[in-house]
Amino acid sequence: MNLEKVVFGFFVLLAATLNFGFFIGDIADPALHNIYELFAAVVVSLIATVLKFGDRTQIGAVHLATSLVADLQLIAAALAWTYAAHISTEGLTPSAMASVVSLSGGALFANVVSVVLLVVETVSYHRR
């Protein structure tokens, strides 16, 4: 068993599941979307991105691209939440929350693509 592959797979799947946990629920209800879960999704996604550096294969490049997309969207979601909750005079409105959840939905899609790539790569692996 390759420990590096286990750690890599762990963080890819953890990033996807944390993102899913934040995303699920009524899109405009802040009570159903935990800020700490969004924070955890951002941190784990960034860790997964760092783990994807160094793979010089084509599938590695696509892994990195999906991770960068997820990072960008999760960071944008966190910034949108921060702006709405702490800077905007309107506060965290249903419209603002819908924007945050929509951005995390885009990141979730990128994470699903990354998980599919991981599964395809694992299934197509040939022992030597």
Side-chain angles (χ1 to χ4, degrees), residues 84-105:
H86 301 291
I87 298 170
S88 172
T89 57
E90 298 172 358
L92 191 57
T93 63
S95 173
M97 194 65 215
S99 294
V100 170
V101 174
S102 293
L103 285 164
S104 78

Side-chain angles (χ1 to χ4, degrees), residues 6-65:
V6 171
V7 170
F8 176 75
F10 172 80
F11 278 101
V12 168
L13 289 170
L14 185 60
T17 56
L18 283 170
N19 195 346
F20 179 77
F22 176 79
F23 178 77
I24 200 76
D26 181 16
I27 193 168
D29 188 356
L32 300 177
H33 305 282
N34 189 310
I35 188 67
Y36 298 112
E37 192 165 19
L38 177 60
F39 176 74
V42 170
V43 170
V44 171
S45 185
L46 289 170
I47 292 169
T49 300
V50 169
L51 292 174
K52 292 175 182 179
F53 279 106
D55 187 353
R56 304 218 185 279
T57 64
Q58 180 62 34
I59 202 161
V62 178
H63 262 299
L64 182 58

Side-chain angles (χ1 to χ4, degrees), residues 71-90:
D71 292 345
L72 181 65
Q73 292 198 311
L74 286 172
I75 290 168
L79 290 174
W81 186 314
T82 302
Y83 176 79
H86 301 291
I87 298 170
S88 172
T89 57
E90 298 172 358

